[in-house]
Amino acid sequence: MTPGPLTVRYFAGARAAAGQTEEVLPAGRSLDDLTAELVRRHGDRLAAVLRVASFLVNGVTCHDRQAPLPAGATIDVLPPFAGG
C-alpha cells in the first residue's frame, strides 16, 4: 500500500510566492526534503519565504526537520506575520 500524499497549504506571503494556496506531493520525506522539493518547483522567491517560515504538521509545530512526515499529513507554511 502506498503512503497517503502530503498536502501543503500556503498562507500569506508563502501563498503569493508559490502562486497557489495548496498542493499535494508524494509522502515518504522529511520537512527538509519537502522544502527542497518546493524550492525546485517554485524557485528563489519561495525559498526566501521558506527560510523564515514556521511549519505546522497536522496542526503541531514541527521541531525536527529530519523526521519523516506522517503519510497523509497536512503541512501549513506560515511566514512571519506583521502586527500584534
Side-chain angles (χ1 to χ4, degrees), residues 9-22 45-46 49 77 79:
R9 299 188 306 185
Y10 300 103
F11 295 87
R15 180 183 309 139
Q20 57 194 13
T21 58
E22 147 179 328
R45 188 170 173 211
L46 184 59
V49 173
V77 180

Side-chain angles (χ1 to χ4, degrees), residues 31-32 53-57 59-69:
L31 186 58
D32 279 345
S54 297
F55 299 90
L56 301 181
V57 177
V60 178
T61 302
C62 181
H63 295 288
D64 184 356
R65 295 177 59 101
Q66 295 295 316
L69 295 167

Side-chain angles (χ1 to χ4, degrees), residues 6-10 18 20-25 34 37-38 41-42 46 75:
L6 303 172
T7 301
V8 179
R9 299 188 306 185
Y10 300 103
Q20 57 194 13
T21 58
E22 147 179 328
E23 67 184 300
V24 176
L25 290 100
L34 177 66
E37 174 64 22
L38 296 175
R41 288 175 175 237
H42 301 289
L46 184 59
I75 296 88

